[in-house]
Amino acid sequence: MSELAPASVRRLRSLAISDAGFVFDPRTGHSYSANATALCALDALKRDVPSSEIAALLRERFAADDVEVEHDLAEFIRALGEHGLVQSDPGGGSNGSGGN
Amino acid sequence: MSKPRYERPSLVRNVVGRMNKAGLRGGLTPTEAVETLPAERLVAEFGSPLFVFSETRLREHVRRAREALQRRHPDVRLCCSYKTNYLDAVCAIQHDEGSLAEVVSGMEYEKARRLGVPGEEIVFNGPMKTRDELVRAVRENAIVHTDSFDEIFAIEQIAQELGIRPAVGLRVGLDVGVYPRWDRFGFDLANGQAMQAARRIAKGGKLRLGGLHTHIGTYVLEAAAYGRAAAALSNFAGEIERQLGVRPTHLDLGGGWASCNTLAGQYQSGALAPPVETYAEAITTALLASGEGKSPLIRVLVEAGRALVDDAGTLLTSVVSTKRLADGRRAVVVDAGVNVLFTAWWYRLNITPARPVTGIVEDTVVFGPLCMNIDCLRESVQLPDLRPGDVLVVHPVGAYAFTQSMQFIRLRPAVVLLDTQGRAELIRRAETLDDLVGPELLPARLRRAVELADHGQENGNGPAAKNRLKR
Ligand SMILES: Cc1ncc(COP(=O)(O)O)c(C=O)c1O
């Protein structure tokens, strides 16, 4: 149950991503800085992992106790949409990751 | 092995000119401590938000300015500009360093007297001085600088009634190329009013001529303007001596030296203020070169406020919440707003986190806690991912922030002083509701309504409350 359209997954797969968090989009020439959790999420999104599982993954790798990982992840996907890196689909708005 | 700390996943577009070689990482140095005391510990002990003043830095700034002036002129005194920051401790430190008091109201005058400053060491400026305030000031030999002919006439009358002949100075309005020109204060030199006022004081038979004062503006970055002001005042003093046969007692060059703050509209980053030595050099060189240099030197007063006090003040504030705005920008709400940082409207205050930064920093809007759209401390500042409770350090806020703070929506926070040994002492406790409602008088008939409403667990506005009141 991935929220991303296949085209979005393909788009993310085209990004060049370094372990240090440097992200390059060959289609636009834009570059980005990603933090460690964003790298983890991007890697999972590229592999078409459902967002509920990505949230679990983040909880497993990072000391995330009481923070709202699902919400943050939905925000992150929305931000990817704003950067034009995924298609913003009407169902996957700012809050509705469906993860919780 | 412990897991790395979780941060919100974040992808930030790299913009040319804002990157170092690690992208947006690591470009931000936290401010973990004020002097030697960790910011987080100060907040834990004294609450948040919290004003923190450094005695060491304040003394350093005052000494440096004083020495810069006294190295170049034999008779200069600094004056503590009360309105810049009239917290007792802040003024007392400056008086301890030998500064006179510069006040612009009866309230400030009273404050200086309470601190033990004798009248003759108080410079009384400003466009409004009530009759009672003037009576007290002339009785106590304060250094009064008049602002208008009406004020001169009022003092003449007081002098007559008291049977004394006090010394009275005047504020002189100068055009020295500083924009905007502050021409609403005092007597203009160019149109002859200043000479007219001096003549009235010196020759009116009721007063003696005191000193000449000017204050050319505030945050004046061009130190040379002070040279022009000093030369103009000095030449005017010479002219008075020639025409009226009396010599002004002092020349007061006012304040307005720029502080280490950054103006909101400033394009360049970083503070642009010249060092205090540059201002001192401009003033003293002009005085010695003018006619002044040839006769015994007249005493010089300087009332620099923000340049001495701004850097000594820091505000610690805590994150209340974080959010994304409609346009995707990151925003934080903190517990101090323009209610305590009025100065945020014209300064681009530095805001830094109090703990080491990990991960990416991002353009962030910093909002205060007021339910008002105008309550914004910074439109854009680079900050890391923050959580509620994280402490931010705002600097410099020593000048005007506290004196212009208001009990609007929230009460004013506590103020601590870090002494020269690095100890923190409370110099003003946080306000309580009693501080706000203490002066209020609730008419008895309304008080009853409140009591009834309290008992009836209603807000007192509904028809039920009104019915009960009728019974
Ligand atoms: C007469 C006078 N002196 C001194 C000052 C202190 O100014 P600043 O803090 O800009 O040095 C002011 C401020 O407005 C002033 O009006």
Side-chain angles (χ1 to χ4, degrees), chain B residues 79-85 102-104 123 125-127 145 171 182 185 213-220 226 252-259 302-309 347 399-400:
Chain B
C79 307
C80 164
S81 160
Y82 267 51
K83 73 166 104 39
T84 305
N85 188 323
E102 187 267 328
V103 306
V104 291
V123 177
N125 290 327
H145 294 139
R171 177 158 174 171
W182 289 25
F185 300 106
H213 171 242
T214 194
H215 174 77
I216 58 174
T218 195
Y219 202 90
V220 177
Y226 286 88
D252 183 339
L253 269 301
W257 298 6
S259 74
V302 169
E303 305 165 350
R306 65 185 72 234
L308 310 189
V309 179
Y347 281 153
Y400 300 98

Side-chain angles (χ1 to χ4, degrees), chain A residues 20-23 30-35 37-38 59-64 67 69 72 75-76 78 80 82-83 85, chain B residues 3-15 19 22-25 324-328 359-360 385 387:
Chain A
F22 182 79
V23 177
H30 295 162
S31 73
Y32 303 85
S33 295
N35 62 1
T37 49
R59 283 212 166 81
E60 189 185 304
R61 298 225 184 127
F62 298 88
V67 289
V69 178
D72 294 348
E75 273 294 328
F76 178 63
R78 193 181 74 112
L80 292 179
E82 264 164 21
H83 288 308
L85 296 172
Chain B
K3 296 182 197 177
R5 180 175 168 267
Y6 172 83
E7 283 168 16
R8 294 182 183 92
S10 160
L11 188 78
V12 181
R13 169 100 185 270
N14 295 333
V15 180
M19 265 195 299
L24 285 167
R25 283 149 209 272
R324 285 275 166 200
L325 301 180
D327 63 5
I360 297 176
D385 187 30
R387 295 279 161 196

Side-chain angles (χ1 to χ4, degrees), chain A residues 38-64:
Chain A
L39 285 180
C40 178
L42 275 176
D43 179 61
L45 288 168
K46 277 162 60 175
R47 289 184 284 112
D48 217 359
V49 175
S51 66
S52 56
E53 281 178 38
I54 301 178
L57 196 68
L58 288 170
R59 283 212 166 81
E60 189 185 304
R61 298 225 184 127
F62 298 88

Side-chain angles (χ1 to χ4, degrees), chain B residues 312-326:
Chain B
T314 302
L315 183 85
L316 306 180
T317 182
S318 303
V319 174
V320 174
S321 59
T322 64
K323 52 181 71 172
R324 285 275 166 200
L325 301 180

